[in-house]
Amino acid sequence: MGDWGRFGEDHQIPVAKQMGKTATAINRDFIISTGDNFYPVGVASEHDPQWKSSFEDIYTDFSLHWNWYPVLGNHDYAGNADAQVAYSKISRRWNMPARYYSKTFNINGDSSQQVLIAFIDTNALIPEFYKNEQYSKNLTSKDSTAQKKWLMKTLTDAPKSVKWKLVVGHHPLFTATLKRRESYDTKAVRKSLKSLFDKYQVDAYIAGHDHDLQHMLPEGKTHYFVSGSASEVTPIDRLPYSKLAVSEYGFMVFSVLADRLYVQAVNENGEVIYTTEIKK
């Protein structure tokens, strides 16, 4: 889920309640946030009251008190980005050890079959952000190159037990939204990451930023998902390679086996509005 921290407003609460019901039904292992965790301008510190009003008091279901793995969005960069890393030392469920990091998960408890997920900071990959007064305070010139080297090493060094390579970031490489289809941020992230995903055989890239639910399969192996409608939706169009493009409040469920990856899009009413299966 992504693009959510609005003090409970604009459908954030009904989506959160449905997340709790779905998480209970599927016995979820963890929750991923695709960024823009706090509107309008991030948090000021790890003690900001928004942690309570936009997160702790909203996602209250027992099934959501498991590990959360977030990434940073552009709205988070308008505040104190490192405060979201620091909150990991306060919260049992908020797990952001750094602005970018990776985790390896066993499939059904089997360490010989694993999923590698790289959680990246796409803000650092957008040149315009270094000149933006609001965002630049969180950036240094080394952020982009160091992260890309780290990502390539992470994907290269994945052991044979890793059956799936997934990457999570805030900004999409592809989107059917008219205003963002060829916007500066979309183009910058695509230029920075597309060839890398192709080279290292990334199975899926999961983003937010656009307030909708999308699945796209352009040229190449990588499937591109957008899940950014956990609070607020915006108009959507379609691309020739769009498999899903809906302007609905909701989230996505990823279920992984050694040879199959199932993805479901669930709206705020609990309706499964889309399913797809990716085979190895």
Short mmCIF file of all heavy atoms in Angstrom, two decimals, residues 232-279:
data_model
loop_
_atom_site.label_atom_id
_atom_site.label_comp_id
_atom_site.label_asym_id
_atom_site.label_seq_id
_atom_site.Cartn_x
_atom_site.Cartn_y
_atom_site.Cartn_z
N GLU A 232 -6.80 8.61 -0.97
CA GLU A 232 -6.91 9.51 -2.13
C GLU A 232 -6.71 8.74 -3.43
O GLU A 232 -5.79 7.92 -3.54
CB GLU A 232 -5.93 10.68 -2.09
CG GLU A 232 -6.21 11.69 -3.21
CD GLU A 232 -5.28 12.88 -3.24
OE1 GLU A 232 -4.12 12.70 -3.65
OE2 GLU A 232 -5.73 13.98 -2.87
N VAL A 233 -7.59 9.01 -4.38
CA VAL A 233 -7.44 8.46 -5.73
C VAL A 233 -7.45 9.62 -6.73
O VAL A 233 -8.03 10.66 -6.48
CB VAL A 233 -8.55 7.44 -6.09
CG1 VAL A 233 -8.46 6.21 -5.22
CG2 VAL A 233 -9.94 8.07 -6.01
N THR A 234 -6.78 9.40 -7.86
CA THR A 234 -6.72 10.40 -8.93
C THR A 234 -7.06 9.71 -10.25
O THR A 234 -6.96 8.48 -10.37
CB THR A 234 -5.33 11.04 -9.00
OG1 THR A 234 -4.33 10.02 -9.00
CG2 THR A 234 -5.10 11.94 -7.80
N PRO A 235 -7.44 10.48 -11.28
CA PRO A 235 -7.86 9.88 -12.55
C PRO A 235 -6.74 9.06 -13.20
O PRO A 235 -5.56 9.37 -13.06
CB PRO A 235 -8.22 11.10 -13.41
CG PRO A 235 -8.53 12.18 -12.43
CD PRO A 235 -7.63 11.94 -11.26
N ILE A 236 -7.14 8.04 -13.93
CA ILE A 236 -6.19 7.12 -14.58
C ILE A 236 -6.61 6.90 -16.02
O ILE A 236 -7.79 6.98 -16.36
CB ILE A 236 -6.13 5.78 -13.81
CG1 ILE A 236 -5.07 4.83 -14.36
CG2 ILE A 236 -7.47 5.08 -13.80
CD1 ILE A 236 -3.68 5.16 -13.97
N ASP A 237 -5.64 6.65 -16.87
CA ASP A 237 -5.88 6.30 -18.26
C ASP A 237 -5.31 4.89 -18.48
O ASP A 237 -5.13 4.14 -17.51
CB ASP A 237 -5.22 7.33 -19.18
CG ASP A 237 -5.75 7.28 -20.60
OD1 ASP A 237 -6.98 7.33 -20.77
OD2 ASP A 237 -4.93 7.18 -21.53
N ARG A 238 -5.01 4.52 -19.71
CA ARG A 238 -4.40 3.22 -19.98
C ARG A 238 -3.26 3.37 -20.97
O ARG A 238 -3.25 4.29 -21.79
CB ARG A 238 -5.43 2.22 -20.55
CG ARG A 238 -6.45 1.73 -19.55
CD ARG A 238 -7.32 0.62 -20.12
NE ARG A 238 -6.63 -0.65 -20.17
CZ ARG A 238 -6.56 -1.50 -19.16
NH1 ARG A 238 -7.15 -1.22 -18.02
NH2 ARG A 238 -5.91 -2.64 -19.28
N LEU A 239 -2.31 2.46 -20.88
CA LEU A 239 -1.22 2.35 -21.85
C LEU A 239 -1.42 1.07 -22.65
O LEU A 239 -2.17 0.17 -22.22
CB LEU A 239 0.12 2.30 -21.11
CG LEU A 239 0.58 3.59 -20.44
CD1 LEU A 239 1.70 3.31 -19.45
CD2 LEU A 239 1.04 4.61 -21.47
N PRO A 240 -0.77 0.93 -23.80
CA PRO A 240 -0.93 -0.30 -24.59
C PRO A 240 -0.57 -1.56 -23.80
O PRO A 240 -1.10 -2.64 -24.08
CB PRO A 240 0.03 -0.09 -25.76
CG PRO A 240 0.17 1.40 -25.88
CD PRO A 240 0.07 1.93 -24.50
N TYR A 241 0.33 -1.42 -22.84
CA TYR A 241 0.76 -2.60 -22.06
C TYR A 241 0.16 -2.62 -20.64
O TYR A 241 0.64 -3.32 -19.78
CB TYR A 241 2.29 -2.67 -21.99
CG TYR A 241 2.98 -1.35 -21.73
CD1 TYR A 241 3.06 -0.81 -20.46
CD2 TYR A 241 3.55 -0.64 -22.80
CE1 TYR A 241 3.69 0.39 -20.22
CE2 TYR A 241 4.19 0.57 -22.57
CZ TYR A 241 4.26 1.08 -21.27
OH TYR A 241 4.88 2.27 -21.05
N SER A 242 -0.90 -1.83 -20.43
CA SER A 242 -1.59 -1.86 -19.14
C SER A 242 -2.43 -3.13 -19.01
O SER A 242 -3.22 -3.45 -19.90
CB SER A 242 -2.51 -0.64 -18.98
OG SER A 242 -1.79 0.56 -18.89
N LYS A 243 -2.27 -3.83 -17.91
CA LYS A 243 -3.12 -4.98 -17.61
C LYS A 243 -4.17 -4.61 -16.57
O LYS A 243 -5.26 -5.16 -16.54
CB LYS A 243 -2.26 -6.15 -17.09
CG LYS A 243 -1.34 -6.73 -18.17
CD LYS A 243 -0.51 -7.87 -17.63
CE LYS A 243 0.19 -8.61 -18.76
NZ LYS A 243 -0.73 -9.33 -19.64
N LEU A 244 -3.81 -3.67 -15.71
CA LEU A 244 -4.74 -3.12 -14.72
C LEU A 244 -4.47 -1.63 -14.63
O LEU A 244 -3.32 -1.20 -14.56
CB LEU A 244 -4.51 -3.77 -13.34
CG LEU A 244 -5.21 -3.08 -12.16
CD1 LEU A 244 -6.72 -3.32 -12.22
CD2 LEU A 244 -4.64 -3.56 -10.82
N ALA A 245 -5.53 -0.83 -14.64
CA ALA A 245 -5.42 0.61 -14.46
C ALA A 245 -6.75 1.11 -13.93
O ALA A 245 -7.68 1.36 -14.69
CB ALA A 245 -5.06 1.32 -15.77
N VAL A 246 -6.86 1.20 -12.60
CA VAL A 246 -8.12 1.60 -11.98
C VAL A 246 -7.89 2.70 -10.95
O VAL A 246 -6.89 2.70 -10.24
CB VAL A 246 -8.86 0.42 -11.31
CG1 VAL A 246 -9.30 -0.59 -12.35
CG2 VAL A 246 -8.02 -0.23 -10.22
N SER A 247 -8.84 3.62 -10.90
CA SER A 247 -8.82 4.68 -9.91
C SER A 247 -9.74 4.27 -8.77
O SER A 247 -10.90 4.68 -8.70
CB SER A 247 -9.28 5.99 -10.55
OG SER A 247 -9.29 7.03 -9.60
N GLU A 248 -9.23 3.41 -7.89
CA GLU A 248 -10.00 2.92 -6.74
C GLU A 248 -9.14 2.91 -5.49
O GLU A 248 -7.94 2.65 -5.55
CB GLU A 248 -10.52 1.50 -7.00
CG GLU A 248 -11.66 1.40 -8.00
CD GLU A 248 -12.48 0.14 -7.82
OE1 GLU A 248 -12.76 -0.24 -6.67
OE2 GLU A 248 -12.83 -0.47 -8.85
N TYR A 249 -9.78 3.20 -4.36
CA TYR A 249 -9.08 3.10 -3.09
C TYR A 249 -8.77 1.64 -2.79
O TYR A 249 -9.64 0.77 -2.96
CB TYR A 249 -9.95 3.65 -1.95
CG TYR A 249 -10.29 5.11 -2.08
CD1 TYR A 249 -11.51 5.53 -2.64
CD2 TYR A 249 -9.40 6.09 -1.62
CE1 TYR A 249 -11.83 6.87 -2.74
CE2 TYR A 249 -9.72 7.43 -1.73
CZ TYR A 249 -10.93 7.82 -2.29
OH TYR A 249 -11.25 9.15 -2.40
N GLY A 250 -7.55 1.35 -2.35
CA GLY A 250 -7.24 -0.03 -2.02
C GLY A 250 -5.77 -0.31 -1.87
O GLY A 250 -4.95 0.59 -1.62
N PHE A 251 -5.42 -1.57 -2.08
CA PHE A 251 -4.06 -2.05 -1.86
C PHE A 251 -3.87 -3.34 -2.65
O PHE A 251 -4.80 -3.81 -3.31
CB PHE A 251 -3.81 -2.30 -0.36
CG PHE A 251 -4.87 -3.15 0.30
CD1 PHE A 251 -4.74 -4.53 0.38
CD2 PHE A 251 -6.02 -2.56 0.82
CE1 PHE A 251 -5.72 -5.31 0.97
CE2 PHE A 251 -7.02 -3.33 1.42
CZ PHE A 251 -6.86 -4.71 1.48
N MET A 252 -2.69 -3.91 -2.60
CA MET A 252 -2.41 -5.16 -3.32
C MET A 252 -1.91 -6.23 -2.35
O MET A 252 -1.28 -5.92 -1.33
CB MET A 252 -1.38 -4.93 -4.42
CG MET A 252 -1.90 -4.13 -5.59
SD MET A 252 -0.65 -3.94 -6.90
CE MET A 252 -1.65 -3.16 -8.18
N VAL A 253 -2.19 -7.47 -2.71
CA VAL A 253 -1.73 -8.63 -1.94
C VAL A 253 -0.80 -9.45 -2.83
O VAL A 253 -1.16 -9.81 -3.95
CB VAL A 253 -2.92 -9.50 -1.48
CG1 VAL A 253 -2.41 -10.78 -0.81
CG2 VAL A 253 -3.83 -8.71 -0.54
N PHE A 254 0.40 -9.70 -2.34
CA PHE A 254 1.38 -10.53 -3.05
C PHE A 254 1.55 -11.85 -2.29
O PHE A 254 1.83 -11.84 -1.09
CB PHE A 254 2.73 -9.82 -3.14
CG PHE A 254 2.75 -8.69 -4.14
CD1 PHE A 254 2.11 -7.49 -3.87
CD2 PHE A 254 3.39 -8.84 -5.36
CE1 PHE A 254 2.11 -6.45 -4.79
CE2 PHE A 254 3.40 -7.81 -6.29
CZ PHE A 254 2.75 -6.62 -6.00
N SER A 255 1.36 -12.95 -3.00
CA SER A 255 1.51 -14.29 -2.42
C SER A 255 2.55 -15.04 -3.25
O SER A 255 2.42 -15.13 -4.47
CB SER A 255 0.18 -15.03 -2.43
OG SER A 255 -0.84 -14.25 -1.83
N VAL A 256 3.56 -15.59 -2.57
CA VAL A 256 4.71 -16.12 -3.28
C VAL A 256 4.92 -17.61 -3.00
O VAL A 256 4.95 -18.03 -1.85
CB VAL A 256 5.99 -15.36 -2.89
CG1 VAL A 256 7.15 -15.77 -3.79
CG2 VAL A 256 5.77 -13.86 -2.97
N LEU A 257 5.07 -18.36 -4.08
CA LEU A 257 5.54 -19.74 -4.01
C LEU A 257 6.85 -19.81 -4.79
O LEU A 257 7.24 -18.85 -5.46
CB LEU A 257 4.52 -20.70 -4.62
CG LEU A 257 3.16 -20.79 -3.91
CD1 LEU A 257 2.19 -21.64 -4.72
CD2 LEU A 257 3.32 -21.34 -2.50
N ALA A 258 7.53 -20.93 -4.73
CA ALA A 258 8.83 -21.03 -5.39
C ALA A 258 8.74 -20.80 -6.89
O ALA A 258 9.65 -20.23 -7.50
CB ALA A 258 9.45 -22.40 -5.11
N ASP A 259 7.63 -21.21 -7.50
CA ASP A 259 7.52 -21.11 -8.96
C ASP A 259 6.40 -20.20 -9.42
O ASP A 259 6.16 -20.05 -10.61
CB ASP A 259 7.32 -22.50 -9.57
CG ASP A 259 6.05 -23.18 -9.07
OD1 ASP A 259 5.44 -22.69 -8.07
OD2 ASP A 259 5.65 -24.20 -9.65
N ARG A 260 5.67 -19.55 -8.48
CA ARG A 260 4.57 -18.67 -8.85
C ARG A 260 4.45 -17.49 -7.92
O ARG A 260 4.68 -17.62 -6.73
CB ARG A 260 3.24 -19.44 -8.84
CG ARG A 260 3.16 -20.34 -10.05
CD ARG A 260 2.03 -21.30 -10.01
NE ARG A 260 2.35 -22.41 -10.88
CZ ARG A 260 1.44 -23.08 -11.55
NH1 ARG A 260 0.19 -22.77 -11.43
NH2 ARG A 260 1.78 -24.05 -12.32
N LEU A 261 4.06 -16.38 -8.52
CA LEU A 261 3.79 -15.17 -7.75
C LEU A 261 2.37 -14.72 -8.09
O LEU A 261 2.06 -14.46 -9.26
CB LEU A 261 4.81 -14.09 -8.13
CG LEU A 261 4.62 -12.68 -7.55
CD1 LEU A 261 4.74 -12.70 -6.04
CD2 LEU A 261 5.65 -11.73 -8.14
N TYR A 262 1.53 -14.69 -7.07
CA TYR A 262 0.14 -14.27 -7.26
C TYR A 262 -0.03 -12.84 -6.75
O TYR A 262 0.47 -12.50 -5.67
CB TYR A 262 -0.82 -15.17 -6.49
CG TYR A 262 -0.81 -16.62 -6.91
CD1 TYR A 262 -0.03 -17.55 -6.23
CD2 TYR A 262 -1.58 -17.06 -7.98
CE1 TYR A 262 -0.01 -18.88 -6.60
CE2 TYR A 262 -1.57 -18.40 -8.37
CZ TYR A 262 -0.79 -19.30 -7.68
OH TYR A 262 -0.77 -20.62 -8.05
N VAL A 263 -0.73 -12.02 -7.52
CA VAL A 263 -0.99 -10.64 -7.11
C VAL A 263 -2.49 -10.38 -7.22
O VAL A 263 -3.12 -10.71 -8.23
CB VAL A 263 -0.23 -9.63 -7.98
CG1 VAL A 263 -0.44 -8.21 -7.45
CG2 VAL A 263 1.26 -9.96 -8.01
N GLN A 264 -3.04 -9.80 -6.17
CA GLN A 264 -4.46 -9.42 -6.16
C GLN A 264 -4.58 -7.95 -5.79
O GLN A 264 -3.87 -7.47 -4.91
CB GLN A 264 -5.23 -10.26 -5.12
CG GLN A 264 -5.22 -11.76 -5.40
CD GLN A 264 -5.72 -12.53 -4.19
OE1 GLN A 264 -5.05 -12.57 -3.15
NE2 GLN A 264 -6.88 -13.15 -4.31
N ALA A 265 -5.45 -7.25 -6.47
CA ALA A 265 -5.79 -5.87 -6.10
C ALA A 265 -7.12 -5.91 -5.36
O ALA A 265 -8.10 -6.50 -5.84
CB ALA A 265 -5.90 -4.99 -7.34
N VAL A 266 -7.14 -5.31 -4.18
CA VAL A 266 -8.32 -5.35 -3.30
C VAL A 266 -8.76 -3.91 -3.04
O VAL A 266 -7.94 -3.06 -2.66
CB VAL A 266 -7.99 -6.05 -1.96
CG1 VAL A 266 -9.24 -6.15 -1.08
CG2 VAL A 266 -7.40 -7.44 -2.21
N ASN A 267 -10.05 -3.64 -3.22
CA ASN A 267 -10.51 -2.27 -2.97
C ASN A 267 -10.98 -2.12 -1.51
O ASN A 267 -10.95 -3.07 -0.73
CB ASN A 267 -11.59 -1.84 -3.97
CG ASN A 267 -12.91 -2.58 -3.80
OD1 ASN A 267 -13.16 -3.25 -2.79
ND2 ASN A 267 -13.78 -2.46 -4.80
N GLU A 268 -11.40 -0.90 -1.16
CA GLU A 268 -11.73 -0.62 0.24
C GLU A 268 -12.95 -1.39 0.73
O GLU A 268 -13.15 -1.51 1.95
CB GLU A 268 -11.98 0.88 0.42
CG GLU A 268 -13.19 1.41 -0.34
CD GLU A 268 -13.44 2.88 -0.07
OE1 GLU A 268 -13.16 3.35 1.04
OE2 GLU A 268 -13.91 3.56 -1.00
N ASN A 269 -13.73 -1.94 -0.19
CA ASN A 269 -14.88 -2.76 0.19
C ASN A 269 -14.55 -4.24 0.31
O ASN A 269 -15.42 -5.06 0.56
CB ASN A 269 -16.01 -2.57 -0.82
CG ASN A 269 -16.47 -1.13 -0.91
OD1 ASN A 269 -16.65 -0.46 0.11
ND2 ASN A 269 -16.63 -0.62 -2.13
N GLY A 270 -13.29 -4.58 0.09
CA GLY A 270 -12.88 -5.97 0.19
C GLY A 270 -13.09 -6.78 -1.06
O GLY A 270 -12.92 -8.00 -1.05
N GLU A 271 -13.43 -6.11 -2.15
CA GLU A 271 -13.63 -6.81 -3.42
C GLU A 271 -12.30 -7.01 -4.12
O GLU A 271 -11.51 -6.07 -4.24
CB GLU A 271 -14.57 -6.00 -4.33
CG GLU A 271 -15.95 -5.79 -3.74
CD GLU A 271 -16.73 -4.68 -4.43
OE1 GLU A 271 -16.11 -3.81 -5.07
OE2 GLU A 271 -17.97 -4.69 -4.30
N VAL A 272 -12.04 -8.22 -4.57
CA VAL A 272 -10.83 -8.50 -5.36
C VAL A 272 -11.13 -8.07 -6.79
O VAL A 272 -11.87 -8.73 -7.52
CB VAL A 272 -10.46 -9.99 -5.29
CG1 VAL A 272 -9.21 -10.26 -6.14
CG2 VAL A 272 -10.20 -10.40 -3.84
N ILE A 273 -10.57 -6.95 -7.20
CA ILE A 273 -10.92 -6.37 -8.49
C ILE A 273 -9.97 -6.80 -9.60
O ILE A 273 -10.21 -6.51 -10.77
CB ILE A 273 -10.99 -4.83 -8.41
CG1 ILE A 273 -9.66 -4.25 -7.90
CG2 ILE A 273 -12.14 -4.39 -7.50
CD1 ILE A 273 -9.61 -2.73 -7.88
N TYR A 274 -8.88 -7.50 -9.23
CA TYR A 274 -7.92 -7.94 -10.24
C TYR A 274 -7.04 -9.03 -9.66
O TYR A 274 -6.66 -8.97 -8.49
CB TYR A 274 -7.05 -6.76 -10.69
CG TYR A 274 -5.96 -7.13 -11.70
CD1 TYR A 274 -6.27 -7.39 -13.03
CD2 TYR A 274 -4.63 -7.20 -11.30
CE1 TYR A 274 -5.28 -7.70 -13.96
CE2 TYR A 274 -3.63 -7.52 -12.22
CZ TYR A 274 -3.97 -7.77 -13.55
OH TYR A 274 -2.98 -8.08 -14.45
N THR A 275 -6.75 -10.03 -10.46
CA THR A 275 -5.79 -11.06 -10.07
C THR A 275 -4.87 -11.37 -11.26
O THR A 275 -5.29 -11.29 -12.40
CB THR A 275 -6.48 -12.38 -9.64
OG1 THR A 275 -7.21 -12.90 -10.76
CG2 THR A 275 -7.44 -12.15 -8.49
N THR A 276 -3.64 -11.69 -10.94
CA THR A 276 -2.72 -12.12 -11.97
C THR A 276 -1.75 -13.13 -11.36
O THR A 276 -1.55 -13.15 -10.15
CB THR A 276 -1.96 -10.94 -12.60
OG1 THR A 276 -1.27 -11.38 -13.78
CG2 THR A 276 -0.94 -10.35 -11.65
N GLU A 277 -1.15 -13.94 -12.23
CA GLU A 277 -0.22 -14.96 -11.80
C GLU A 277 1.05 -14.88 -12.66
O GLU A 277 0.96 -14.87 -13.89
CB GLU A 277 -0.85 -16.34 -11.93
CG GLU A 277 0.05 -17.51 -11.60
CD GLU A 277 -0.62 -18.86 -11.85
OE1 GLU A 277 -1.74 -19.05 -11.32
OE2 GLU A 277 -0.06 -19.68 -12.59
N ILE A 278 2.18 -14.78 -12.02
CA ILE A 278 3.46 -14.74 -12.72
C ILE A 278 4.16 -16.08 -12.47
O ILE A 278 4.34 -16.47 -11.31
CB ILE A 278 4.33 -13.58 -12.23
CG1 ILE A 278 3.58 -12.25 -12.37
CG2 ILE A 278 5.65 -13.54 -13.00
CD1 ILE A 278 4.25 -11.08 -11.69
N LYS A 279 4.53 -16.76 -13.54
CA LYS A 279 5.14 -18.08 -13.41
C LYS A 279 6.63 -17.99 -13.67
O LYS A 279 7.10 -17.21 -14.49
CB LYS A 279 4.51 -19.07 -14.40
CG LYS A 279 3.03 -19.35 -14.12
CD LYS A 279 2.47 -20.32 -15.15
CE LYS A 279 1.00 -20.59 -14.92
NZ LYS A 279 0.43 -21.48 -15.95
#
